[in-house]
Amino acid sequence: MIHSLHPCLSSSTVITEQVSQISLQTANVHNEDSVVSNATSAVFDWDTFKFAPIRESQVSRAMTSRYFKDLNEYAESDIVIVGAGSAGLSCAWILARARPDLKIAIIESNVSVGGGCFLGGQLFSAMVLRKPADEFIRELGIEYEDEGNYIVIKHAALFITTLCSKVLALPNVKLFNATAVEDLITRTSPAGEVRVAGVVTNWTLVSMHHEDQSCMDPNTINAKVVISCTGHDGPFGAFCVKRLVTQGLLKRNRMGCLDMNRAEDSIVKGTREVFPGLVCAGMELSECDSANRMGPTFGAMVLSGVHAAERALEVYPLREKEDKEQY
Ligand code: AHZ
């Protein structure tokens, strides 16, 4: 049975009906005697097994109709989060639950989410978070070992995939991955004050080829507030801070050397709207404030994400008002 097809798909109705009629004739037999029947009811007599039929265009339309509907809806977002690493996804989880009325787009340049968070340090698995970030981990429902001042999750990927799955299940969030923010939208008030008013995007693979292909113009997303969580300097990292620096709108202070104790406190405390309309969180802040890096301890990333959500909602009414006044 196919529910709620996009209106432009009405020409496919005949094919859809034919296919669903065939699918009704497919009678798969459950195998109650299977040695894995205690783990799943999706176990069948494999000799007679057959998938419900499908036409290739149905698969294509199932994806494209939804993707372009989302692009259309989120072209006007309330808040855009740039970067789906530990800071960005932590922020999204808090923000989207605190304000279910707001439309939140997450733009991630990589195909996969997580940034530096699929592994602990030096390609090891375990992930360390200093207290009091354990409160956030308990809310996520992830098991950990309590080591006193810090906790250890058995694999960083367990943390980031759990967090991501919870974020993606929220109805007011859309993740556009494999999509890079390659510029910012700005507005200038009659008094000459500049603010960030959205992001300029492109497929990441296109963004990577501006040097050897010409005229590959981007797409845009308007937003009242942008939260940048693109990590420290790198090929794509610290993107929004660096873009404003090139315009002389923000001062760059490069990331300091590693000092776990100083670094984590200063990233969390320093999380703020660094420029009108642009809140900055996670390691991108170190390129703004010259904060030390902390290496493989992630408590500051999740709590900077929480703090960023709080700061974004504080400035939201003002930025929304400016957005209405300045179009
Ligand atoms: O792909 C990037 C990553 O997933 C994404 N990103 C970067 N530039 C982008 C752009 N458009 C869209 N222009 C972009 N996406 O942003 C994500 C950043 O994740 P991250 O894990 O690099 O940053 P974070 O601040 O969430 O976590 C930092 C983790 C670190 S680094 C570090 C150290 O070097 O000492 N220590 C910790 C805990």
Side-chain angles (χ1 to χ4, degrees):
M1 188 69 177
I2 294 174
H3 302 280
S4 63
L5 276 176
H6 193 265
C8 71
L9 302 187
S10 52
S11 63
S12 68
T13 308
V14 176
I15 292 168
T16 305
E17 278 169 4
Q18 282 170 354
V19 171
S20 49
Q21 271 167 19
I22 305 169
S23 81
L24 288 175
Q25 293 162 9
T26 307
N28 286 309
V29 180
H30 280 98
N31 180 4
E32 314 294 339
D33 300 331
S34 164
V35 288
V36 296
S37 60
N38 61 338
T40 175
S41 63
V43 65
F44 302 95
D45 170 20
W46 303 119
D47 291 335
T48 56
F49 174 81
K50 197 168 175 7
F51 271 111
I54 200 161
R55 190 173 168 82
E56 287 76 2
S57 60
Q58 286 182 299
V59 179
S60 179
R61 284 170 169 163
M63 296 184 293
T64 54
S65 61
R66 287 165 179 79
Y67 196 87
F68 287 102
K69 182 169 167 283
D70 286 341
L71 265 187
N72 184 40
E73 259 178 38
Y74 284 83
E76 271 295 344
S77 292
D78 295 312
I79 297 185
V80 167
I81 297 175
V82 190
S86 44
L89 287 178
S90 298
C91 180
W93 193 50
I94 300 304
L95 197 56
R97 289 184 310 133
R99 288 291 301 270
D101 58 314
L102 297 184
K103 240 187 318 179
I104 299 158
I106 307 174
I107 315 295
E108 168 53 54
S109 57
N110 253 318
V111 171
S112 58
V113 298
C117 210
F118 258 91
L119 295 159
Q122 200 176 307
L123 313 187
F124 305 144
S125 315
M127 183 192 203
V128 174
L129 297 106
R130 290 163 63 197
K131 291 183 179 178
D134 54 321
E135 287 191 30
F136 187 95
I137 302 304
R138 275 194 296 282
E139 282 173 5
L140 279 177
I142 300 174
E143 280 188 22
Y144 59 82
E145 289 174 77
D146 194 325
E147 298 281 5
N149 285 349
Y150 63 96
I151 62 165
V152 184
I153 300 175
K154 69 176 179 181
H155 206 300
L158 173 62
F159 162 76
I160 203 71
T161 54
T162 305
L163 176 60
C164 185
S165 67
K166 287 185 185 280
V167 168
L168 293 186
L170 296 169
N172 54 333
V173 175
K174 169 69 188 183
L175 168 69
F176 295 97
N177 46 339
T179 305
V181 168
E182 57 174 40
D183 206 345
L184 295 169
I185 300 174
T186 57
R187 289 279 185 277
T188 307
S189 75
E193 286 155 353
V194 181
R195 75 183 162 88
V196 170
V199 294
V200 178
T201 63
N202 220 324
W203 307 119
T204 303
L205 292 176
V206 171
S207 283
M208 290 165 72
H209 284 274
H210 285 306
E211 303 292 316
D212 55 78
Q213 301 286 319
S214 58
C215 303
M216 300 189 292
D217 267 341
N219 190 26
T220 54
I221 299 180
N222 286 100
K224 285 82 179 179
V225 177
V226 173
I227 306 176
S228 196
C229 310
T230 67
H232 58 64
D233 194 16
F236 280 101
F239 180 81
C240 297
V241 164
K242 289 193 299 191
R243 183 68 179 112
L244 293 179
V245 168
T246 62
Q247 297 305 294
L249 294 169
L250 204 61
K251 195 168 173 305
R252 172 116 184 239
N253 294 295
R254 286 175 188 274
M255 180 176 74
C257 297
L258 194 149
D259 181 341
M260 285 187 186
N261 284 303
R262 279 171 63 93
E264 292 217 274
D265 288 0
S266 84
I267 291 288
V268 174
K269 287 183 183 172
T271 301
R272 65 190 183 284
E273 188 186 46
V274 294
F275 187 79
L278 185 79
V279 173
C280 194
M283 281 310 284
E284 182 165 357
L285 257 180
S286 69
E287 304 291 342
C288 209
D289 292 351
S290 196
N292 296 89
R293 65 191 296 202
M294 71 288 296
T297 163
F298 285 83
M301 297 304 107
V302 303
L303 295 186
S304 176
V306 175
H307 194 177
E310 198 179 290
R311 285 295 162 100
L313 292 182
E314 277 166 14
V315 299
Y316 187 83
L318 172 64
R319 302 299 167 217
E320 186 187 32
K321 183 169 167 281
E322 290 170 340
D323 195 60
K324 280 193 187 125
E325 287 165 2
Q326 292 167 22
Y327 201 64

